[in-house]
Amino acid sequence: MLDDRATTDTTGDTPVRLGILISGRGSNCAAIAQAIADGKLKGCEIAIVICNVTGAPGIEAARKFGMPVVTLEGRGREQRDHEEALLALLKKYRVEVVCLAGYRRVLSARFVRNWKGRMLNSHPSLLPSFPGFNATQQALEYGVRIAGCTVHFVEEWVDAGAIILQHAVEVLDSDTEETLASRVLAEQHRAYPEAIARVLSGEYEAVGRRYLRLGKVEAVPPMRSQEAVADTASITAEN
Amino acid sequence: MLDDRATTDTTGDTPVRLGILISGRGSNCAAIAQAIADGKLKGCEIAIVICNVTGAPGIEAARKFGMPVVTLEGRGREQRDHEEALLALLKKYRVEVVCLAGYRRVLSARFVRNWKGRMLNSHPSLLPSFPGFNATQQALEYGVRIAGCTVHFVEEWVDAGAIILQHAVEVLDSDTEETLASRVLAEQHRAYPEAIARVLSGEYEAVGRRYLRLGKVEAVPPMRSQEAVADTASITAEN
């Protein structure tokens, strides 16, 4: 069901409602929560954490933070059914911006399109280098000396949306996959809240694929009610 | 003709003889020369600068530095003939390590194989992102926030050899292709002498595609006389 409250209000004082999708440790989710708790990331709150893996350690971690958590087991479920349930949950919790945080399931183009400019992901490489899985292993095998992480908008292609920010991490001669992955992850924990702040600031704008600070522009694009209604209707009609 | 003196001596005090190949401004060539003049890059000297474009500004720049320069016009010449002339020049000047510095002609696999571990290139991106031409334009169009440069060994595939080092350059919101390219170039000027120093230090070793400082190992691999003789012979035989 479409809820009128799902329309984003970024002009008032109402915090923007984040929905965080996790599959594992949820350490990026915890980093976002910590940044909010510390007052470093303002103007938003975590409305819901959704985990698609039963018993994932991130569930307990989110609970300890006092965040509402829902497990929506993805295994053995058709993508369409899973995404329909996911969409219903996001609407129920009036989520305005979705943050993928180690979410290990590719979302359909259809689902992603509906969240254009409102869905973020963090990837452990300097994209476009090393997209997909095992980014750190790929980077070490390639022999790069500068690794890093990317926070980007999610588009229909994996790891292909416009880049919000990137942080570089130097590769050391002594690095193993474990030590490099650990430093990149620490950098992701700094980068993700900073990227969310950029998106919510209303000062950045996409110019082609570049995401630039140009001054006061519209922040998170308001969810277009007609489109959302049409989408809900089509899901209903198809089932 | 193979000259016995072409065998690299990195254990003694004889400076390693560099051959620098340019096509344009030769600013990386000048940066290497400056680093040698300043005593920042030790144990080597520029034996010859070879330019494949008649009248390129880098020729005059190299002359001002007092470096021997030869123009070996590449236009309208078969690759094999051009490379044979190039090889003859490198041998005449007893070049031990070749540095491509904005050299805009792809060398054949046959030529490159003979210089394995002894031919370097500088590329204005953080490889494997944005190989080939117009790296800065590619980077800006992709919207990366971290750009940079790479010095790597040259292998048979363009921009694909093991990485010696990389330096990161932050992309600014205000960057145009010109301003970003200029900062990346400045970083290349720092990186190239540093990379040459690593190769000559005899402390780095290729482990897979990683180039690691592991302590004292053999520096520039000595040119294998048999292989070189065979190569020269085959060129002669084929013509």
Side-chain angles (χ1 to χ4, degrees), chain A residues 50-114:
Chain A
I50 302 172
C51 181
N52 71 333
V53 176
T54 308
I59 297 170
E60 194 50 36
R63 277 210 188 99
K64 277 190 186 151
F65 249 101
M67 296 186 271
V69 192
V70 173
T71 301
L72 193 67
E73 178 58 56
R75 245 174 319 176
R77 218 169 169 187
E78 289 295 330
Q79 184 163 34
R80 173 175 294 180
D81 296 343
H82 184 70
E83 290 187 353
E84 197 183 334
L86 187 55
L87 186 66
L89 259 178
L90 293 172
K91 287 188 171 169
K92 179 178 170 190
Y93 284 88
R94 294 175 282 123
V95 167
E96 297 164 291
V97 172
V98 172
C99 300
L100 306 185
Y103 186 69
R104 294 195 216 101
R105 183 167 178 142
V106 176
L107 295 162
S108 70
R110 186 160 169 274
F111 188 91
V112 166
R113 268 198 298 270
N114 216 29

Short mmCIF file of all heavy atoms in Angstrom, two decimals, chain A residues 50-114:
data_model
loop_
_atom_site.label_atom_id
_atom_site.label_comp_id
_atom_site.label_asym_id
_atom_site.label_seq_id
_atom_site.Cartn_x
_atom_site.Cartn_y
_atom_site.Cartn_z
N ILE A 50 16.80 -4.35 7.36
CA ILE A 50 16.23 -5.58 6.80
C ILE A 50 17.37 -6.51 6.41
O ILE A 50 18.28 -6.11 5.68
CB ILE A 50 15.35 -5.28 5.56
CG1 ILE A 50 14.24 -4.30 5.95
CG2 ILE A 50 14.76 -6.57 4.99
CD1 ILE A 50 13.42 -3.78 4.76
N CYS A 51 17.32 -7.73 6.93
CA CYS A 51 18.38 -8.71 6.65
C CYS A 51 17.80 -9.88 5.88
O CYS A 51 16.75 -10.41 6.27
CB CYS A 51 19.00 -9.18 7.97
SG CYS A 51 20.34 -10.36 7.72
N ASN A 52 18.46 -10.27 4.80
CA ASN A 52 17.91 -11.37 3.99
C ASN A 52 18.55 -12.73 4.30
O ASN A 52 18.37 -13.68 3.55
CB ASN A 52 18.02 -11.05 2.49
CG ASN A 52 19.46 -11.09 1.99
OD1 ASN A 52 20.37 -10.86 2.78
ND2 ASN A 52 19.65 -11.38 0.71
N VAL A 53 19.32 -12.78 5.40
CA VAL A 53 19.94 -14.06 5.79
C VAL A 53 19.60 -14.34 7.25
O VAL A 53 20.04 -13.61 8.15
CB VAL A 53 21.47 -14.02 5.59
CG1 VAL A 53 22.11 -15.31 6.07
CG2 VAL A 53 21.81 -13.78 4.11
N THR A 54 18.84 -15.38 7.48
CA THR A 54 18.44 -15.75 8.84
C THR A 54 19.67 -15.99 9.71
O THR A 54 20.59 -16.70 9.30
CB THR A 54 17.58 -17.03 8.82
OG1 THR A 54 16.51 -16.83 7.89
CG2 THR A 54 16.99 -17.34 10.19
N GLY A 55 19.69 -15.36 10.88
CA GLY A 55 20.77 -15.60 11.83
C GLY A 55 22.06 -14.86 11.53
O GLY A 55 23.07 -15.09 12.20
N ALA A 56 22.07 -13.98 10.52
CA ALA A 56 23.29 -13.22 10.22
C ALA A 56 23.69 -12.39 11.44
O ALA A 56 22.82 -11.86 12.15
CB ALA A 56 23.06 -12.32 9.02
N PRO A 57 25.00 -12.29 11.70
CA PRO A 57 25.45 -11.57 12.91
C PRO A 57 25.00 -10.11 12.95
O PRO A 57 24.87 -9.53 14.04
CB PRO A 57 26.98 -11.69 12.85
CG PRO A 57 27.32 -12.20 11.48
CD PRO A 57 26.11 -12.89 10.97
N GLY A 58 24.74 -9.52 11.80
CA GLY A 58 24.33 -8.13 11.75
C GLY A 58 22.97 -7.88 12.42
O GLY A 58 22.67 -6.77 12.84
N ILE A 59 22.16 -8.92 12.49
CA ILE A 59 20.82 -8.78 13.10
C ILE A 59 20.97 -8.46 14.59
O ILE A 59 20.38 -7.50 15.09
CB ILE A 59 20.01 -10.10 12.93
CG1 ILE A 59 19.79 -10.37 11.43
CG2 ILE A 59 18.70 -10.02 13.67
CD1 ILE A 59 19.22 -11.74 11.13
N GLU A 60 21.79 -9.25 15.26
CA GLU A 60 22.01 -9.05 16.70
C GLU A 60 22.69 -7.70 16.94
O GLU A 60 22.34 -6.95 17.86
CB GLU A 60 22.87 -10.20 17.25
CG GLU A 60 22.92 -10.29 18.76
CD GLU A 60 21.55 -10.27 19.42
OE1 GLU A 60 20.60 -10.84 18.85
OE2 GLU A 60 21.42 -9.63 20.49
N ALA A 61 23.64 -7.37 16.06
CA ALA A 61 24.36 -6.09 16.18
C ALA A 61 23.40 -4.91 16.07
O ALA A 61 23.48 -3.95 16.84
CB ALA A 61 25.44 -5.99 15.10
N ALA A 62 22.46 -4.99 15.13
CA ALA A 62 21.49 -3.91 14.94
C ALA A 62 20.56 -3.82 16.14
O ALA A 62 20.22 -2.72 16.60
CB ALA A 62 20.70 -4.14 13.66
N ARG A 63 20.19 -4.96 16.68
CA ARG A 63 19.30 -4.98 17.87
C ARG A 63 19.97 -4.30 19.04
O ARG A 63 19.35 -3.54 19.79
CB ARG A 63 18.95 -6.42 18.24
CG ARG A 63 17.81 -6.96 17.43
CD ARG A 63 16.97 -8.01 18.16
NE ARG A 63 16.03 -8.57 17.17
CZ ARG A 63 16.23 -9.72 16.54
NH1 ARG A 63 17.29 -10.47 16.80
NH2 ARG A 63 15.35 -10.14 15.65
N LYS A 64 21.26 -4.59 19.21
CA LYS A 64 22.01 -3.99 20.32
C LYS A 64 22.02 -2.47 20.20
O LYS A 64 22.10 -1.76 21.20
CB LYS A 64 23.45 -4.52 20.34
CG LYS A 64 23.58 -5.85 21.04
CD LYS A 64 25.03 -6.24 21.26
CE LYS A 64 25.14 -7.65 21.83
NZ LYS A 64 26.39 -8.31 21.44
N PHE A 65 21.96 -1.99 18.96
CA PHE A 65 21.93 -0.55 18.70
C PHE A 65 20.53 0.01 18.92
O PHE A 65 20.32 1.22 18.79
CB PHE A 65 22.36 -0.27 17.26
CG PHE A 65 23.69 0.41 17.15
CD1 PHE A 65 24.84 -0.30 16.83
CD2 PHE A 65 23.81 1.78 17.40
CE1 PHE A 65 26.07 0.33 16.74
CE2 PHE A 65 25.04 2.41 17.31
CZ PHE A 65 26.17 1.69 16.98
N GLY A 66 19.59 -0.85 19.20
CA GLY A 66 18.21 -0.42 19.39
C GLY A 66 17.47 -0.13 18.10
O GLY A 66 16.44 0.55 18.09
N MET A 67 18.00 -0.66 16.98
CA MET A 67 17.32 -0.43 15.70
C MET A 67 16.30 -1.52 15.45
O MET A 67 16.56 -2.69 15.74
CB MET A 67 18.35 -0.43 14.56
CG MET A 67 19.36 0.69 14.65
SD MET A 67 20.44 0.73 13.19
CE MET A 67 21.76 -0.36 13.72
N PRO A 68 15.16 -1.16 14.85
CA PRO A 68 14.20 -2.19 14.47
C PRO A 68 14.78 -3.05 13.34
O PRO A 68 15.32 -2.51 12.38
CB PRO A 68 12.98 -1.40 13.99
CG PRO A 68 13.47 -0.02 13.72
CD PRO A 68 14.68 0.20 14.56
N VAL A 69 14.70 -4.35 13.50
CA VAL A 69 15.28 -5.27 12.51
C VAL A 69 14.23 -6.27 12.06
O VAL A 69 13.47 -6.79 12.89
CB VAL A 69 16.47 -6.07 13.11
CG1 VAL A 69 17.23 -6.78 12.00
CG2 VAL A 69 17.39 -5.19 13.91
N VAL A 70 14.19 -6.55 10.79
CA VAL A 70 13.29 -7.57 10.26
C VAL A 70 14.12 -8.52 9.41
O VAL A 70 14.95 -8.08 8.63
CB VAL A 70 12.18 -6.94 9.39
CG1 VAL A 70 11.36 -8.03 8.70
CG2 VAL A 70 11.27 -6.06 10.23
N THR A 71 13.93 -9.81 9.61
CA THR A 71 14.58 -10.79 8.72
C THR A 71 13.60 -11.15 7.61
O THR A 71 12.45 -11.48 7.89
CB THR A 71 14.97 -12.06 9.49
OG1 THR A 71 15.86 -11.70 10.55
CG2 THR A 71 15.68 -13.04 8.57
N LEU A 72 14.08 -11.03 6.39
CA LEU A 72 13.25 -11.37 5.24
C LEU A 72 14.09 -12.36 4.44
O LEU A 72 14.85 -11.99 3.55
CB LEU A 72 12.99 -10.09 4.43
CG LEU A 72 11.91 -10.15 3.36
CD1 LEU A 72 10.54 -10.35 3.99
CD2 LEU A 72 11.92 -8.86 2.56
N GLU A 73 13.98 -13.63 4.85
CA GLU A 73 14.83 -14.67 4.27
C GLU A 73 14.67 -14.72 2.76
O GLU A 73 13.55 -14.79 2.24
CB GLU A 73 14.49 -16.02 4.90
CG GLU A 73 15.28 -17.19 4.37
CD GLU A 73 16.81 -17.05 4.52
OE1 GLU A 73 17.29 -16.85 5.65
OE2 GLU A 73 17.50 -17.12 3.48
N GLY A 74 15.81 -14.68 2.09
CA GLY A 74 15.76 -14.63 0.62
C GLY A 74 15.94 -15.99 -0.03
O GLY A 74 15.52 -16.20 -1.17
N ARG A 75 16.54 -16.94 0.70
CA ARG A 75 16.84 -18.24 0.08
C ARG A 75 15.57 -18.96 -0.35
O ARG A 75 14.56 -18.96 0.37
CB ARG A 75 17.59 -19.12 1.08
CG ARG A 75 19.02 -19.43 0.64
CD ARG A 75 19.73 -20.18 1.74
NE ARG A 75 19.40 -19.60 3.06
CZ ARG A 75 19.83 -20.10 4.21
NH1 ARG A 75 20.59 -21.17 4.24
NH2 ARG A 75 19.50 -19.53 5.36
N GLY A 76 15.65 -19.58 -1.48
CA GLY A 76 14.55 -20.41 -1.95
C GLY A 76 13.30 -19.64 -2.31
O GLY A 76 12.20 -20.19 -2.33
N ARG A 77 13.47 -18.35 -2.53
CA ARG A 77 12.31 -17.53 -2.85
C ARG A 77 12.49 -16.89 -4.21
O ARG A 77 13.59 -16.45 -4.53
CB ARG A 77 12.23 -16.43 -1.79
CG ARG A 77 10.81 -16.13 -1.38
CD ARG A 77 10.83 -15.25 -0.18
NE ARG A 77 9.50 -14.74 0.06
CZ ARG A 77 9.22 -13.84 0.97
NH1 ARG A 77 10.17 -13.35 1.73
NH2 ARG A 77 7.98 -13.41 1.14
N GLU A 78 11.47 -16.86 -4.98
CA GLU A 78 11.54 -16.19 -6.28
C GLU A 78 11.88 -14.72 -6.08
O GLU A 78 11.40 -14.10 -5.12
CB GLU A 78 10.18 -16.28 -7.00
CG GLU A 78 9.83 -17.67 -7.51
CD GLU A 78 10.77 -18.13 -8.62
OE1 GLU A 78 11.28 -17.27 -9.36
OE2 GLU A 78 11.01 -19.35 -8.72
N GLN A 79 12.67 -14.17 -7.00
CA GLN A 79 13.08 -12.78 -6.86
C GLN A 79 11.87 -11.85 -6.78
O GLN A 79 11.81 -10.95 -5.95
CB GLN A 79 13.98 -12.36 -8.03
CG GLN A 79 14.49 -10.94 -7.86
CD GLN A 79 15.68 -10.61 -8.75
OE1 GLN A 79 15.78 -11.09 -9.86
NE2 GLN A 79 16.59 -9.80 -8.25
N ARG A 80 10.88 -12.10 -7.63
CA ARG A 80 9.72 -11.20 -7.65
C ARG A 80 8.99 -11.20 -6.31
O ARG A 80 8.64 -10.14 -5.78
CB ARG A 80 8.76 -11.62 -8.77
CG ARG A 80 7.46 -10.82 -8.72
CD ARG A 80 6.57 -11.12 -9.88
NE ARG A 80 7.15 -10.69 -11.13
CZ ARG A 80 6.58 -10.83 -12.31
NH1 ARG A 80 5.39 -11.41 -12.39
NH2 ARG A 80 7.16 -10.41 -13.40
N ASP A 81 8.82 -12.39 -5.73
CA ASP A 81 8.12 -12.49 -4.45
C ASP A 81 8.93 -11.79 -3.35
O ASP A 81 8.40 -11.07 -2.52
CB ASP A 81 7.93 -13.96 -4.06
CG ASP A 81 7.02 -14.68 -5.06
OD1 ASP A 81 6.33 -13.98 -5.82
OD2 ASP A 81 7.04 -15.92 -5.08
N HIS A 82 10.25 -12.04 -3.41
CA HIS A 82 11.12 -11.45 -2.41
C HIS A 82 11.07 -9.93 -2.49
O HIS A 82 10.95 -9.24 -1.46
CB HIS A 82 12.55 -11.95 -2.61
CG HIS A 82 13.50 -11.46 -1.55
ND1 HIS A 82 13.45 -11.91 -0.25
CD2 HIS A 82 14.51 -10.55 -1.60
CE1 HIS A 82 14.40 -11.29 0.46
NE2 HIS A 82 15.05 -10.46 -0.33
N GLU A 83 11.14 -9.41 -3.68
CA GLU A 83 11.17 -7.96 -3.85
C GLU A 83 9.83 -7.32 -3.51
O GLU A 83 9.77 -6.19 -3.03
CB GLU A 83 11.60 -7.60 -5.28
CG GLU A 83 13.07 -7.93 -5.51
CD GLU A 83 13.61 -7.44 -6.84
OE1 GLU A 83 12.82 -6.95 -7.67
OE2 GLU A 83 14.84 -7.55 -7.04
N GLU A 84 8.77 -8.07 -3.74
CA GLU A 84 7.45 -7.54 -3.39
C GLU A 84 7.34 -7.40 -1.88
O GLU A 84 6.87 -6.37 -1.35
CB GLU A 84 6.37 -8.50 -3.92
CG GLU A 84 5.00 -7.85 -3.98
CD GLU A 84 3.93 -8.85 -4.44
OE1 GLU A 84 4.31 -9.80 -5.15
OE2 GLU A 84 2.77 -8.66 -4.07
N ALA A 85 7.83 -8.42 -1.18
CA ALA A 85 7.81 -8.39 0.29
C ALA A 85 8.72 -7.27 0.81
O ALA A 85 8.40 -6.56 1.77
CB ALA A 85 8.26 -9.73 0.84
N LEU A 86 9.85 -7.10 0.14
CA LEU A 86 10.81 -6.07 0.52
C LEU A 86 10.18 -4.68 0.34
O LEU A 86 10.25 -3.83 1.23
CB LEU A 86 12.05 -6.21 -0.37
CG LEU A 86 13.27 -5.35 -0.08
CD1 LEU A 86 13.73 -5.53 1.36
CD2 LEU A 86 14.41 -5.73 -1.03
N LEU A 87 9.55 -4.48 -0.80
CA LEU A 87 8.91 -3.20 -1.09
C LEU A 87 7.82 -2.90 -0.05
O LEU A 87 7.71 -1.77 0.45
CB LEU A 87 8.31 -3.21 -2.50
CG LEU A 87 7.74 -1.89 -2.98
CD1 LEU A 87 8.84 -0.85 -3.15
CD2 LEU A 87 7.00 -2.06 -4.31
N ALA A 88 7.06 -3.91 0.30
CA ALA A 88 5.99 -3.74 1.29
C ALA A 88 6.58 -3.29 2.63
O ALA A 88 6.05 -2.39 3.29
CB ALA A 88 5.22 -5.04 1.45
N LEU A 89 7.69 -3.93 3.00
CA LEU A 89 8.35 -3.59 4.27
C LEU A 89 8.86 -2.15 4.25
O LEU A 89 8.69 -1.39 5.21
CB LEU A 89 9.54 -4.51 4.52
CG LEU A 89 9.35 -5.66 5.49
CD1 LEU A 89 10.63 -6.48 5.56
CD2 LEU A 89 8.97 -5.15 6.89
N LEU A 90 9.51 -1.78 3.14
CA LEU A 90 10.06 -0.42 3.03
C LEU A 90 8.93 0.61 3.11
O LEU A 90 9.09 1.67 3.70
CB LEU A 90 10.84 -0.27 1.71
CG LEU A 90 12.12 -1.10 1.61
CD1 LEU A 90 12.71 -1.03 0.20
CD2 LEU A 90 13.16 -0.66 2.64
N LYS A 91 7.80 0.26 2.53
CA LYS A 91 6.67 1.19 2.57
C LYS A 91 6.07 1.25 3.98
O LYS A 91 5.74 2.32 4.48
CB LYS A 91 5.62 0.79 1.53
CG LYS A 91 6.12 1.14 0.13
CD LYS A 91 5.09 0.97 -0.94
CE LYS A 91 5.66 1.56 -2.24
NZ LYS A 91 4.83 1.22 -3.40
N LYS A 92 5.96 0.07 4.59
CA LYS A 92 5.40 0.02 5.95
C LYS A 92 6.22 0.90 6.90
O LYS A 92 5.67 1.59 7.75
CB LYS A 92 5.41 -1.43 6.43
CG LYS A 92 4.88 -1.62 7.84
CD LYS A 92 4.88 -3.07 8.25
CE LYS A 92 4.56 -3.21 9.74
NZ LYS A 92 4.78 -4.58 10.22
N TYR A 93 7.52 0.87 6.73
CA TYR A 93 8.39 1.66 7.61
C TYR A 93 8.68 3.05 7.04
O TYR A 93 9.56 3.74 7.50
CB TYR A 93 9.67 0.89 7.93
CG TYR A 93 9.43 -0.21 8.93
CD1 TYR A 93 9.04 -1.49 8.52
CD2 TYR A 93 9.53 0.03 10.31
CE1 TYR A 93 8.79 -2.50 9.43
CE2 TYR A 93 9.28 -0.98 11.23
CZ TYR A 93 8.91 -2.24 10.79
OH TYR A 93 8.66 -3.23 11.71
N ARG A 94 7.97 3.41 6.01
CA ARG A 94 8.05 4.73 5.38
C ARG A 94 9.50 5.12 5.06
O ARG A 94 9.96 6.22 5.38
CB ARG A 94 7.40 5.79 6.29
CG ARG A 94 5.90 5.57 6.41
CD ARG A 94 5.26 6.54 7.39
NE ARG A 94 5.50 6.17 8.78
CZ ARG A 94 6.10 6.93 9.69
NH1 ARG A 94 6.50 8.15 9.39
NH2 ARG A 94 6.27 6.50 10.92
N VAL A 95 10.20 4.17 4.47
CA VAL A 95 11.61 4.41 4.11
C VAL A 95 11.70 5.34 2.91
O VAL A 95 10.97 5.17 1.93
CB VAL A 95 12.32 3.06 3.80
CG1 VAL A 95 13.66 3.29 3.13
CG2 VAL A 95 12.48 2.26 5.10
N GLU A 96 12.59 6.31 3.01
CA GLU A 96 12.76 7.28 1.93
C GLU A 96 14.07 7.07 1.17
O GLU A 96 14.17 7.36 -0.01
CB GLU A 96 12.72 8.70 2.51
CG GLU A 96 11.36 9.00 3.15
CD GLU A 96 11.42 10.20 4.05
OE1 GLU A 96 12.05 10.12 5.13
OE2 GLU A 96 10.84 11.23 3.69
N VAL A 97 15.09 6.61 1.88
CA VAL A 97 16.38 6.33 1.24
C VAL A 97 16.85 4.95 1.67
O VAL A 97 16.86 4.64 2.87
CB VAL A 97 17.44 7.40 1.64
CG1 VAL A 97 18.83 7.01 1.13
CG2 VAL A 97 17.05 8.78 1.08
N VAL A 98 17.20 4.12 0.70
CA VAL A 98 17.67 2.76 0.99
C VAL A 98 19.19 2.71 0.90
O VAL A 98 19.78 3.20 -0.06
CB VAL A 98 17.06 1.74 -0.01
CG1 VAL A 98 17.69 0.36 0.17
CG2 VAL A 98 15.55 1.68 0.15
N CYS A 99 19.81 2.15 1.93
CA CYS A 99 21.28 1.97 1.94
C CYS A 99 21.59 0.48 1.93
O CYS A 99 21.29 -0.23 2.89
CB CYS A 99 21.89 2.59 3.19
SG CYS A 99 21.56 4.35 3.34
N LEU A 100 22.21 0.02 0.83
CA LEU A 100 22.67 -1.37 0.80
C LEU A 100 23.99 -1.42 1.57
O LEU A 100 24.90 -0.64 1.30
CB LEU A 100 22.88 -1.84 -0.64
CG LEU A 100 21.68 -1.66 -1.59
CD1 LEU A 100 22.01 -2.29 -2.95
CD2 LEU A 100 20.42 -2.28 -1.01
N ALA A 101 24.06 -2.33 2.52
CA ALA A 101 25.26 -2.40 3.36
C ALA A 101 25.69 -3.86 3.43
O ALA A 101 25.36 -4.60 4.35
CB ALA A 101 24.96 -1.85 4.75
N GLY A 102 26.42 -4.27 2.39
CA GLY A 102 26.83 -5.67 2.32
C GLY A 102 25.64 -6.56 2.01
O GLY A 102 25.56 -7.69 2.47
N TYR A 103 24.71 -6.03 1.20
CA TYR A 103 23.51 -6.79 0.83
C TYR A 103 23.85 -7.66 -0.36
O TYR A 103 24.15 -7.16 -1.44
CB TYR A 103 22.38 -5.83 0.50
CG TYR A 103 21.05 -6.50 0.26
CD1 TYR A 103 20.36 -7.12 1.31
CD2 TYR A 103 20.47 -6.49 -1.01
CE1 TYR A 103 19.13 -7.72 1.09
CE2 TYR A 103 19.23 -7.10 -1.24
CZ TYR A 103 18.57 -7.71 -0.18
OH TYR A 103 17.35 -8.30 -0.41
N ARG A 104 23.84 -8.97 -0.13
CA ARG A 104 24.34 -9.89 -1.16
C ARG A 104 23.23 -10.49 -2.01
O ARG A 104 23.11 -11.69 -2.14
CB ARG A 104 25.13 -11.03 -0.49
CG ARG A 104 26.41 -10.56 0.19
CD ARG A 104 27.33 -11.71 0.52
NE ARG A 104 28.00 -11.45 1.80
CZ ARG A 104 27.66 -11.98 2.95
NH1 ARG A 104 26.66 -12.85 3.03
NH2 ARG A 104 28.32 -11.69 4.06
N ARG A 105 22.42 -9.65 -2.54
CA ARG A 105 21.44 -10.14 -3.50
C ARG A 105 21.24 -9.04 -4.52
O ARG A 105 21.05 -7.88 -4.16
CB ARG A 105 20.13 -10.48 -2.80
CG ARG A 105 19.10 -11.07 -3.73
CD ARG A 105 17.93 -11.71 -2.99
NE ARG A 105 16.95 -12.22 -3.95
CZ ARG A 105 16.26 -13.34 -3.80
NH1 ARG A 105 16.43 -14.08 -2.72
NH2 ARG A 105 15.38 -13.73 -4.71
N VAL A 106 21.36 -9.39 -5.80
CA VAL A 106 21.19 -8.38 -6.84
C VAL A 106 19.71 -8.07 -6.97
O VAL A 106 18.88 -8.98 -7.01
CB VAL A 106 21.77 -8.90 -8.19
CG1 VAL A 106 21.51 -7.90 -9.30
CG2 VAL A 106 23.28 -9.14 -8.04
N LEU A 107 19.39 -6.80 -6.98
CA LEU A 107 17.98 -6.39 -7.10
C LEU A 107 17.64 -6.21 -8.58
O LEU A 107 18.48 -5.83 -9.38
CB LEU A 107 17.76 -5.09 -6.33
CG LEU A 107 17.96 -5.21 -4.81
CD1 LEU A 107 18.18 -3.85 -4.18
CD2 LEU A 107 16.78 -5.93 -4.16
N SER A 108 16.40 -6.49 -8.90
CA SER A 108 15.99 -6.41 -10.32
C SER A 108 15.98 -4.96 -10.79
O SER A 108 15.82 -4.03 -10.01
CB SER A 108 14.59 -6.99 -10.48
OG SER A 108 13.64 -6.13 -9.88
N ALA A 109 16.13 -4.80 -12.10
CA ALA A 109 16.10 -3.47 -12.71
C ALA A 109 14.79 -2.77 -12.36
O ALA A 109 14.75 -1.58 -12.06
CB ALA A 109 16.23 -3.61 -14.22
N ARG A 110 13.73 -3.54 -12.36
CA ARG A 110 12.40 -3.02 -12.07
C ARG A 110 12.34 -2.42 -10.66
O ARG A 110 11.82 -1.32 -10.45
CB ARG A 110 11.43 -4.20 -12.20
CG ARG A 110 9.98 -3.86 -12.09
CD ARG A 110 9.17 -5.01 -12.71
NE ARG A 110 7.76 -4.86 -12.40
CZ ARG A 110 7.22 -5.34 -11.28
NH1 ARG A 110 7.95 -5.95 -10.38
NH2 ARG A 110 5.92 -5.17 -11.07
N PHE A 111 12.92 -3.16 -9.71
CA PHE A 111 12.92 -2.69 -8.32
C PHE A 111 13.79 -1.45 -8.19
O PHE A 111 13.40 -0.45 -7.57
CB PHE A 111 13.46 -3.81 -7.42
CG PHE A 111 13.33 -3.51 -5.95
CD1 PHE A 111 12.20 -3.89 -5.23
CD2 PHE A 111 14.35 -2.84 -5.27
CE1 PHE A 111 12.07 -3.60 -3.89
CE2 PHE A 111 14.23 -2.55 -3.92
CZ PHE A 111 13.10 -2.93 -3.22
N VAL A 112 14.96 -1.52 -8.78
CA VAL A 112 15.95 -0.45 -8.64
C VAL A 112 15.46 0.86 -9.25
O VAL A 112 15.65 1.93 -8.68
CB VAL A 112 17.29 -0.90 -9.27
CG1 VAL A 112 18.23 0.27 -9.48
CG2 VAL A 112 17.94 -1.98 -8.40
N ARG A 113 14.82 0.77 -10.39
CA ARG A 113 14.33 1.97 -11.08
C ARG A 113 13.44 2.81 -10.19
O ARG A 113 13.46 4.03 -10.24
CB ARG A 113 13.55 1.58 -12.34
CG ARG A 113 14.40 1.52 -13.59
CD ARG A 113 13.54 1.57 -14.85
NE ARG A 113 12.62 0.43 -14.93
CZ ARG A 113 12.92 -0.72 -15.53
NH1 ARG A 113 14.11 -0.90 -16.10
NH2 ARG A 113 12.05 -1.71 -15.57
N ASN A 114 12.67 2.15 -9.37
CA ASN A 114 11.72 2.84 -8.50
C ASN A 114 12.42 3.63 -7.39
O ASN A 114 11.81 4.49 -6.75
CB ASN A 114 10.75 1.84 -7.89
CG ASN A 114 9.36 2.41 -7.76
OD1 ASN A 114 8.98 3.28 -8.54
ND2 ASN A 114 8.62 1.96 -6.77
#
